[in-house]
Amino acid sequence: MSFNHAHWQQRLDTLRAAHGVPGASLAVLDGGDVHELASGVLHRGTGVEVTTDSVFLSGSLAKTYTATVVLNLVDAGALDLDTPIVKLLPEFSTPDPAATETITVRQLLSHTGGLTCDFTYDSGRGDDCLARYVEAAAGVALDCPPGTALSYSSVGYAVLGRVIEVVTGKTWDQAVKDLLFAPLGLEHSMTLPEEALRFRVAMSHLGEEPTPVWDLMPRSAGPYGRVIISAGDVARFAKMHLDGGVAADGTRVLSADAVALMQRRVVDSPDKWTVSADGWGLGWTLYDWNGVAGFGHDGSSVAQHSFLRVVPHAGVAVVLLTNGGDFDRLYHELFSELLGELADVEMPEPFAPPANPPAVDVTPLVGTYVREGVITTISQDDDGKARIRYEFVDGMKDLSPPLEAELVPVTETVFAACGESFGANPVPVVFSTLADGSPCVYIGMRATPKTS
């Protein structure tokens, strides 16, 4: 069955409007062809329309580009996945000297190195920004000992970006251009804000209004959070991974072995809801839709959000880029229809507390959980119900006032944070343990150990 462009354009227009998303770009890889669609406006203040060549901020989808460059260097024999980072970057360190010696490239790719996520540091606009970032991160506490748990880490990907620089002798920005964008012919992909001005650029929206600034991230955030992209270019990037590492013109970007290795599960995810992750490979989020395997990634930057889902058995990839509104509902409804029709995928329902929550004794969960930049406090009210206080501290203290909500049980270890300060949709709060049995809580895929 050929791709019905008119039908999917109508569904994109309808669902985008229904969920208050100002603008969206959609690309679908099906039957070997990339189909591109656009809907809405880039900026409600100017009324400039989204077109298929418009570019959006990718957020964490950028991590998959960094991971692909790392595997390209492994293919070239310039890098080994099991080399300790400190052997490549003598300036790399953590407050735990023993851990510093053991954290490897492979662990950082799979978010099992223990490095934290939310270290906000502006190291400037110079070509030395990643080197300065790695040095500044030396005193940042680990979320957990290396190899003991999955803990989503943007810091780890900034370190990988610096590894790429040292191995190639180029800036991360230039290495991504030379090793990915150029051989794949990605003419609407870039890493620096000034490069985006050649194109129609999406503006983030909070509520009805455009945000006062376009991009809050420093240059050092590139390897974990800033590739500026069109939806069609993301689909072409995904097609290379589906085609065994070969670009459309026959250029080999990755070996078939490297492509397969990136999709091989390294670790299961205790939180299967925040980014729909069943597990993690080397760079990719891995999905299991009732036995149908897939891979992809999500990203968020200010109020722009990106979604990529790839279904290898069907040769299908779907990309959605948005700039505000209830993007999660748009993603779920649109992808449920697309992946259902094109790849026989049945996506799970969005995360929500059950109509009749189970009775759970939350007493063992009460306490304080601490990671860099965040203190999470779980308490119990007089009725035995659990509550959460999520407080930003240290370098993140000005990010937001503390977030507070009731915790509604989903299972004995999974709860839904339901409260306006956490947002319109319930947030998963997952209690788990590290490899040594010590308790932790996951919020936003970050492992936060219990301290008291």
Side-chain angles (χ1 to χ4, degrees):
M1 182 186 300
S2 61
F3 184 81
N4 189 332
H5 194 284
H7 168 76
W8 292 115
Q9 182 67 59
Q10 183 272 330
R11 292 303 292 149
L12 175 62
D13 291 339
T14 299
L15 293 173
R16 178 197 59 75
H19 295 297
V21 174
S25 184
L26 174 70
V28 179
L29 171 66
D30 179 47
D33 297 321
V34 175
H35 308 273
E36 299 176 69
L37 304 88
S39 180
V41 296
L42 295 167
H43 188 300
R44 279 185 172 143
T46 64
V48 175
E49 294 181 345
V50 183
T51 54
T52 55
D53 60 355
S54 298
V55 296
F56 291 68
L57 294 167
S58 67
S60 286
L61 185 57
K63 292 181 174 70
T64 64
Y65 291 77
T66 296
T68 300
V69 172
V70 169
L71 269 293
N72 175 283
L73 297 174
V74 171
D75 274 341
L79 197 56
D80 188 285
L81 290 173
D82 295 312
T83 299
I85 296 295
V86 74
K87 300 293 186 185
L88 302 163
L89 307 178
E91 70 273 25
F92 172 75
S93 67
T94 76
D96 183 337
T100 300
E101 296 296 320
T102 66
I103 296 169
T104 65
V105 174
R106 189 189 302 271
Q107 287 176 330
L108 295 189
L109 285 169
S110 59
H111 300 285
T112 57
L115 296 187
T116 196
C117 193
D118 302 308
F119 174 59
T120 305
Y121 178 74
D122 188 345
S123 54
R125 282 277 301 167
D127 286 352
D128 63 347
C129 65
L130 282 175
R132 293 178 62 194
Y133 181 97
V134 171
E135 291 175 358
V140 177
L142 297 170
D143 283 353
C144 53
T148 63
L150 167 71
S151 191
Y152 189 76
S153 175
S154 288
V155 175
Y157 271 76
V159 172
L160 288 171
R162 178 58 183 154
V163 167
I164 289 169
E165 293 186 333
V166 169
V167 172
T168 63
K170 304 175 181 181
T171 63
W172 170 83
D173 305 271
Q174 192 62 49
V176 173
K177 288 181 180 67
D178 292 348
L179 297 177
L180 279 188
F181 297 165
L184 290 176
L186 304 183
E187 297 179 355
H188 290 79
S189 299
M190 63 228 71
T191 63
L192 296 171
E194 57 267 29
E195 297 172 322
L197 295 175
R198 296 174 292 153
F199 305 107
R200 291 183 177 227
V201 180
M203 190 71 185
S204 301
H205 292 71
L206 294 173
E208 294 295 316
E209 299 299 320
T211 53
V213 293
W214 175 58
D215 183 7
L216 292 170
M217 293 188 295
R219 183 178 174 187
S220 57
Y224 66 77
R226 192 206 287 115
V227 172
I228 305 160
I229 46 173
S230 70
D233 268 11
V234 179
R236 285 179 273 274
F237 169 65
K239 186 176 188 298
M240 178 272 291
H241 280 273
L242 277 176
D243 290 345
V246 177
D249 66 356
T251 302
R252 181 160 290 283
V253 177
L254 285 181
S255 68
D257 286 346
V259 168
L261 187 61
M262 289 182 69
Q263 297 172 34
R264 190 172 302 152
R265 186 174 298 208
V266 174
V267 61
D268 292 339
S269 175
D271 175 359
K272 301 182 185 300
W273 302 274
T274 297
V275 292
S276 307
D278 291 292
W280 226 279
L282 299 184
W284 290 122
T285 305
L286 304 181
Y287 314 107
D288 181 346
W289 297 296
N290 293 321
V292 177
F295 65 91
H297 213 283
D298 294 350
S300 298
S301 179
V302 192
Q304 297 188 45
H305 299 268
S306 60
F307 303 88
L308 168 63
R309 299 292 182 268
V310 186
V311 191
H313 89 87
V316 166
V318 183
V319 184
L320 177 68
L321 309 178
T322 65
N323 64 346
D326 196 346
F327 52 88
D328 268 333
R329 297 291 175 173
L330 171 60
Y331 146 73
H332 186 269
E333 290 191 36
L334 188 59
F335 276 46
S336 291
E337 293 181 19
L338 275 162
L339 294 180
E341 179 170 312
L342 301 178
D344 294 322
V345 164
E346 183 179 345
M347 289 177 57
E349 289 300 312
F351 179 78
N356 297 300
V360 175
D361 178 10
V362 300
T363 306
L365 309 177
V366 169
T368 302
Y369 301 74
V370 179
R371 65 177 176 86
E372 180 70 20
V374 175
I375 297 176
T376 300
T377 305
I378 306 298
S379 60
Q380 191 173 17
D381 64 21
D382 293 339
D383 294 330
K385 295 179 179 178
R387 294 195 61 82
I388 183 171
R389 177 183 171 89
Y390 190 83
E391 182 179 5
F392 298 99
V393 296
D394 303 324
M396 294 177 64
K397 61 182 173 59
D398 297 325
L399 187 65
S400 165
L403 310 179
E404 299 194 37
E406 179 186 351
L407 290 180
V408 180
V410 177
T411 70
E412 288 189 350
T413 57
V414 179
F415 292 75
C418 301
E420 286 188 10
S421 66
F422 271 83
N425 299 318
V427 173
V429 177
V430 181
F431 295 89
S432 186
T433 56
L434 305 179
D436 63 3
S438 58
C440 67
V441 65
Y442 279 89
I443 302 170
M445 293 293 299
R446 283 83 156 159
T448 306
K450 189 175 186 179
T451 57
S452 63

